[in-house]
C-alpha cells in the first residue's frame, strides 16, 4: 500500500536568494526576431480594420443589418448550446457574441466554430488510419499489468481503447531539470547509428541549439538519417528565414507544422503541434516539457529559475513515440506517395536491444492527443481525470498553467473532499501575465475543498507531471488548461510500477521546499482590482 506522504516545511529562503543572485549574473534571454510575426500581424490587422470599417458602413442600413445580425446571432447561440463542445468553451463564445455585438458574431464565425485547417481535417485522419494499425498491442503484457496493478487496469484499458499499447521491457529514466535532460539527449545523439528524429514546439537559436547542431552535422556526415520537425507558430520569432535551407543543404530534413498564413479567416493560433519527441535508432526515446532554447537549461535568465522535466525510454515503449513522430512528420511533409508498412517498421526498436531491457521494472504507455479527437475523445484530460478519480492516498500535480474546465475542477475537489491528499505546484513567476492571473483565480474554489496549492518561488515551473499513490505517474507536454486538452496536439507517457514513478514523487516533495503554500484567507483578501481583472479574464479563459 502507498504510504501517505508527509511534507516537512524547510526554510529555503537563503537558497532561493542565492539562486536568484546567480541568475541575475546570467544574460537575459535572447531578443526575439519579431520581423515575421510583425509582418503577419500587420497584414492580419489591416484585414481586421477593413472588416470593422465594412461593418460600420452598414449603418446606412441600420434596421436591416440589426435585424439580420440579431437573427444570425440567435442562430449562432443556439448552435453553440447544441454542439458537443466543452461547456466552458461555449460560455466564452456566447460572452463574446453578447459583449461585442456584431463584431463578436463575426469573430465566432471566423474562429469559434471549431473549423480546422483543411489540410489537418483531411490529411491527418488519413495518416492515422494508415499508421495506427502499426501500434503493437500485447495481451500478455496487459494481463501482467492487471495482475500486478489491479487498481490501474481501468486506466490502462482507457488508453488501450484509444489505440495506445502498454509495454514492458522498457527502462525509464526521469530528469528533474532541463539542465540534465539535454546533456543526456546529446550523449545519445552522439551514439546514433541509423536515424535521429527531433520534434519540438519551440526550436530557438542559442547555445543549446548550437551544441546540438554541431553534433547533428557530424552524424549526418556519418550517414545517419536526421529529421527535425517544429511548429511554425512556436518558432515564428526564434528561427532565421534560411533555417530550413541551411539544414537541408547539409542533408538534414526539416518540416514545419501548420504554417502561419496571415489571412483573417485562416489565422490559426490554435491547432499547434505542442509535442516534444526525440527518437534515436528506434531504441531510445525522449519526451517531456522542454523545448530547445537556452532558458530550458538555465543558460539565460528568463522568469527566474526555469524548471522542466522529462523522461528517457529505452526499449519497446519507444515504438509508440516513433509512430507518433512519423504521423506528424507525414502530415507536415505531406505528399500523395503511398508508403508501405515496411517503410515504417524499419524504424522499430531492435529485438536484441529490447531483450537487454527485459528485466526493466514496470510498464509504460505513451499516448498522444489532438483536437481532431475532441470533444468526445480527448485522451489527455480523460487520463488526468481517471488518475484523480482513482487516487486513494495522494495525487500531486505540477503545471505551468491552471485553466481547468468544470469537469477537472470537480474531479480535483471531489478527490480532496474524499480525503485524498491533492497538491498542485504552479509558477511563482508567470511567463504570461494574463494567464498567470487566470491561474491564480482558480485557487479559492480548489482550496475551499481542501486542495493544497503551492507557487514555485525561484521562478517559472514549466514541468507537466502527475504522480499518484506511489504506483503511477505521467510526464509529458500536457498543461492543465483548455488549450492543451482541446486545441493543441500533445503527447506524454503514463508509467506504472516504474522506479521513475518514485523519482517523480521525490522531485515533487523536494520542489515543495522551494515553494510558498497559498493561504486561503490571504487569497480572499487580494486587491479588488485584481479580482476584477481575474473575473473579466475568466470569461474568456478557454480562448486564452
Amino acid at each position: 500500500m502507498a504510504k501517505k506522504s508527509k511534507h516537512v516545511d524547510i526554510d529555503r529562503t537563503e537558497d532561493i536568494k542565492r539562486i536568484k543572485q546567480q541568475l541575475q549574473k546570467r544574460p537575459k534571454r535572447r531578443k526575439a526576431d519579431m520581423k515575421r510575426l510583425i509582418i503577419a500581424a500587420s497584414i492580419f490587422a489591416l484585414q481586421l480594420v477593413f472588416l470593422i470599417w465594412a461593418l460600420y458602413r452598414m449603418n446606412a442600413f441600420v434596421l436591416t443589418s440589426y435585424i439580420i445580425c440579431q437573427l444570425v446571432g440567435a442562430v449562432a447561440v443556439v448552435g453553440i448550446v447544441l454542439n458537443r463542445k466543452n461547456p466552458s468553451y461555449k460560455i466564452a463564445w456566447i460572452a463574446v457574441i453578447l459583449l461585442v455585438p456584431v463584431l463578436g458574431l463575426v469573430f465566432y464565425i471566423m474562429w469559434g466554430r471549431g473549423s480546422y485547417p483543411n489540410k489537418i481535417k483531411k490529411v491527418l485522419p488519413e495518416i492515422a488510419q494508415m499508421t495506427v494499425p502499426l501500434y503493437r498491442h500485447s495481451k500478455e503484457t496487459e494481463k501482467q499489468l492487471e495482475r500486478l496493478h489491479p487498481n490501474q487496469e481501468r486506466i490502462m484499458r482507457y488508453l488501450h481503447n484509444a489505440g495506445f499499447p502498454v509495454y514492458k521491457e522498457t527502462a525509464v529514466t526521469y530528469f528533474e531539470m532541463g539542465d540534465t535532460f539535454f546533456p543526456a539527449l546529446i550523449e545519445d545523439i552522439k551514439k546514433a547509428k541509423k536515424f535521429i528524429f527531433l520534434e519540438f514546439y519551440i526550436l530557438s537559436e542559442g547555445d543549446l541549439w548550437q551544441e546540438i547542431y554541431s553534433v547533428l552535422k557530424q552524424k549526418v556526415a556519418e550517414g545517419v538519417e536526421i529529421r527535425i520537425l517544429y511548429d511554425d507558430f512556436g518558432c515564428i520569432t526564434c528561427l532565421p528565414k534560411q533555417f530550413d535551407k541551411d539544414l537541408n543543404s547539409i542533408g538534414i530534413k526539416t518540416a514545419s507544422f501548420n504554417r502561419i498564413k496571415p489571412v483573417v479567416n485562416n489565422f490559426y493560433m490554435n491547432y499547434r503541434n505542442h509535442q516534444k519527441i526525440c527518437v534515436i535508432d528506434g531504441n531510445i526515446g525522449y519526451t517531456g516539457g522542454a523545448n530547445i532554447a537556452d532558458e530550458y537549461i538555465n543558460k539565460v535568465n528568463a522568469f527566474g529559475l526555469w524548471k522542466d522535466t522529462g523522461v528517457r525510454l529505452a526499449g519497446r515503449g519507444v515504438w509508440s513515440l516513433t509512430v507518433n513522430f512519423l504521423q506528424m512528420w507525414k502530415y507536415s511533409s505531406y505528399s500523395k506517395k503511398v508508403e508501405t508498412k515496411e517503410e515504417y517498421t524499419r524504424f522499430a526498436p531492435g529485438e536484441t536491444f529490447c531483450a537487454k531491457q527485459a528485466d526493466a521494472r514496470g510498464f509504460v504507455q505513451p499516448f498522444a492527443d489532438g483536437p481532431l479527437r475532441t470533444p468526445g475523445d480527448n485522451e489527455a484530460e480523460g487520463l488526468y481525470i481517471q488518475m484523480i478519480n482513482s487516487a486513494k492516498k495522494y495525487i500531486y500535480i505540477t503545471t505551468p498553467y491552471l485553466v481547468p474546465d468544470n469537469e477537472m475542477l470537480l474531479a480535483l475537489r471531489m478527490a480532496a473532499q474524499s480525503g485524498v491528499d491533492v497538491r498542485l505546484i504552479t509558477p511563482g513567476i508567470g511567463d504570461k501575465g494574463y494567464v498567470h492571473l487566470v491561474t491564480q483565480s482558480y485557487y479559492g474554489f480548489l482550496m475551499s475543498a481542501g486542495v493544497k496549492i503551492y507557487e514555485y518561488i525561484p521562478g517559472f515551473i514549466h514541468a507537466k507531471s502527475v504522480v499518484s499513490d506511489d504506483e503511477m505517474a505521467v510526464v509529458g507536454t500536457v498543461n492543465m488548461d483548455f488549450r492543451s486538452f482541446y486545441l493543441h496536439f500533445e503527447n506524454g507517457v503514463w508509467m506504472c510500477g516504474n522506479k521513475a514513478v518514485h523519482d517523480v514523487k521525490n522531485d515533487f516533495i523536494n520542489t515543495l521546499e522551494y515553494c510558498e503554500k497559498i493561504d486561503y484567507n490571504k487569497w480572499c483578501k487580494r486587491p479588488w482590482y485584481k479580482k476584477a481583472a481575474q473575473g473579466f479574464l475568466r470569461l474568456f479563459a478557454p480562448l486564452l
Side-chain angles (χ1 to χ4, degrees):
M1 291 291 291
K3 294 181 179 179
K4 191 168 183 177
S5 301
K6 295 182 179 180
H7 171 58
V8 180
D9 290 331
I10 298 176
D11 187 357
R12 292 287 187 180
T13 306
E14 291 302 318
D15 288 344
I16 294 171
K17 187 183 296 185
R18 175 179 50 79
I19 290 170
K20 290 184 175 181
Q21 288 174 346
Q22 290 175 346
L23 287 169
Q24 287 174 355
K25 297 176 183 178
R26 296 177 186 176
K28 295 290 185 181
R29 182 166 56 170
R30 64 178 291 273
K31 291 184 179 180
D33 184 355
M34 303 295 290
K35 285 184 288 188
R36 186 176 166 221
L37 182 60
I38 289 172
I39 291 171
S42 299
I43 295 172
F44 176 83
L46 286 172
Q47 295 171 76
L48 199 58
V49 168
F50 176 79
L51 178 63
I52 295 171
W53 174 82
L55 290 171
Y56 174 76
R57 294 293 296 170
M58 288 175 63
N59 282 338
F61 311 96
V62 174
L63 182 59
T64 303
S65 61
Y66 176 78
I67 292 172
I68 291 172
C69 287
Q70 287 293 93
L71 289 173
V72 175
V75 171
V77 170
V78 171
I80 292 171
V81 171
L82 294 179
N83 69 31
R84 295 175 60 232
K85 295 186 181 301
N86 185 277
S88 300
Y89 193 72
K90 296 180 184 182
I91 292 170
W93 275 113
I94 290 173
V96 170
I97 292 172
L98 295 178
L99 292 173
V100 191
V102 183
L103 197 57
L105 175 61
V106 173
F107 289 164
Y108 173 73
I109 292 171
M110 288 192 299
W111 305 313
R113 292 175 299 134
S115 58
Y116 307 107
N118 288 331
K119 188 178 174 185
I120 285 182
K121 185 164 55 177
K122 178 184 176 182
V123 176
L124 274 179
E126 292 178 4
I127 296 171
Q129 187 177 9
M130 177 180 65
T131 54
V132 166
L134 298 176
Y135 285 121
R136 300 172 177 179
H137 295 269
S138 168
K139 291 184 177 180
E140 179 187 345
T141 302
E142 293 167 10
K143 289 179 179 178
Q144 188 174 350
L145 184 144
E146 293 170 12
R147 186 175 69 254
L148 296 175
H149 304 278
N151 293 332
Q152 311 312 330
E153 176 191 354
R154 180 176 174 179
I155 293 177
M156 181 272 289
R157 286 292 171 198
Y158 173 75
L159 291 175
H160 166 86
N161 291 334
F164 304 108
V166 61
Y167 302 90
K168 54 182 182 178
E169 297 180 13
T170 306
V172 185
T173 305
Y174 173 72
F175 300 96
E176 300 176 357
M177 297 286 284
D179 310 51
T180 54
F181 176 89
F182 281 106
L185 171 62
I186 291 169
E187 285 304 308
D188 280 327
I189 290 174
K190 289 178 179 178
K191 299 173 185 174
K193 302 295 183 184
K194 299 177 181 177
F195 66 89
I196 300 165
F197 295 159
L198 300 177
E199 176 181 1
F200 289 92
Y201 174 65
I202 295 173
L203 197 165
S204 176
E205 285 190 307
D207 292 347
L208 176 60
W209 166 242
Q210 286 303 318
E211 184 177 359
I212 293 174
Y213 182 46
S214 64
V215 178
L216 294 178
K217 285 193 293 185
Q218 179 182 342
K219 300 312 293 186
V220 77
E222 295 173 6
V224 175
E225 179 181 352
I226 300 175
R227 302 184 189 184
I228 297 177
L229 174 61
Y230 60 90
D231 185 85
D232 191 51
F233 185 78
C235 297
I236 195 169
T237 64
C238 304
L239 293 180
K241 187 177 180 180
Q242 299 294 315
F243 179 79
D244 288 351
K245 185 177 180 181
D246 290 345
L247 267 65
N248 295 162
S249 67
I250 63 170
I252 298 177
K253 300 176 183 177
T254 60
S256 61
F257 184 89
N258 194 10
R259 289 193 68 83
I260 290 292
K261 299 176 182 177
V263 181
V264 73
N265 67 335
N266 194 30
F267 193 76
Y268 291 105
M269 292 177 65
N270 296 326
Y271 319 123
R272 311 313 316 177
N273 180 10
H274 196 242
Q275 297 177 170
K276 290 95 179 174
I277 293 174
C278 309
V279 180
I280 297 105
D281 290 348
N283 296 323
I284 294 169
Y286 286 78
T287 191
N291 289 292
I292 296 180
D294 286 350
E295 56 265 33
Y296 290 87
I297 57 171
N298 287 293
K299 190 86 174 182
V300 295
N301 183 4
F303 312 108
L305 185 67
W306 193 294
K307 178 172 171 57
D308 218 323
T309 58
V311 289
R312 174 188 188 268
L313 307 184
R316 297 198 183 279
V318 178
W319 176 236
S320 283
L321 294 179
T322 305
V323 172
N324 190 203
F325 173 89
L326 291 172
Q327 287 175 336
M328 303 305 275
W329 176 268
K330 175 66 176 176
Y331 163 79
S332 301
S333 57
Y334 184 70
S335 67
K336 293 184 179 180
K337 175 187 174 186
V338 178
E339 288 159 313
T340 64
K341 179 179 177 181
E342 288 70 26
E343 287 181 273
Y344 285 90
T345 54
R346 69 187 179 95
F347 299 116
E351 287 298 324
T352 302
F353 184 90
C354 292
K356 294 178 181 178
Q357 319 302 323
D359 59 348
R361 178 185 167 191
F363 304 84
V364 298
Q365 202 163 6
F367 64 92
D369 196 4
L372 291 182
R373 305 179 71 93
T374 60
D377 301 308
N378 42 316
E379 281 77 22
E381 185 180 36
L383 173 60
Y384 276 32
I385 290 176
Q386 291 262 19
M387 292 180 69
I388 293 166
N389 290 341
S390 65
K392 291 181 171 56
K393 298 294 183 182
Y394 74 86
I395 185 157
Y396 299 156
I397 300 168
T398 59
T399 180
Y401 313 116
L402 180 64
V403 190
D405 58 16
N406 192 57
E407 291 82 355
M408 183 64 70
L409 285 170
L410 290 178
L412 290 167
R413 282 176 58 90
M414 288 176 63
Q417 290 168 335
S418 301
V420 177
D421 182 14
V422 183
R423 306 188 189 191
L424 283 80
I425 296 179
T426 63
I429 303 174
D431 66 332
K432 301 178 181 72
Y434 61 93
V435 179
H436 194 53
L437 273 175
V438 175
T439 289
Q440 293 174 325
S441 75
Y442 286 96
Y443 289 175
F445 187 65
L446 292 171
M447 288 189 294
S448 64
V451 176
K452 303 178 185 71
I453 300 178
Y454 304 79
E455 287 189 344
Y456 182 64
I457 300 306
F460 184 60
I461 189 161
H462 192 253
K464 309 100 168 31
S465 62
V466 184
V467 61
S468 176
D469 292 350
D470 292 356
E471 197 169 8
M472 59 176 169
V474 168
V475 174
T477 71
V478 185
N479 300 314
M480 191 169 278
D481 65 359
F482 195 92
R483 189 165 292 278
S484 269
F485 289 147
Y486 291 91
L487 300 177
H488 287 345
F489 294 89
E490 307 281 357
N491 78 284
V493 179
W494 180 70
M495 302 172 286
C496 183
N498 307 81
K499 177 184 178 297
V501 172
H502 298 276
D503 294 337
V504 176
K505 178 196 173 183
N506 292 335
D507 182 32
F508 187 96
I509 296 297
N510 293 335
T511 303
L512 286 181
E513 297 176 8
Y514 296 88
C515 294
E516 177 185 1
K517 185 178 181 181
I518 304 301
D519 180 84
Y520 179 70
N521 292 325
K522 185 177 178 181
W523 178 87
C524 290
K525 295 176 182 177
R526 66 200 189 283
W528 67 268
Y529 54 84
K530 190 171 185 180
K531 292 180 181 179
Q534 289 174 332
F536 177 76
L537 290 170
R538 277 279 291 273
L539 277 175
F540 310 102
L543 310 180
L544 297 178

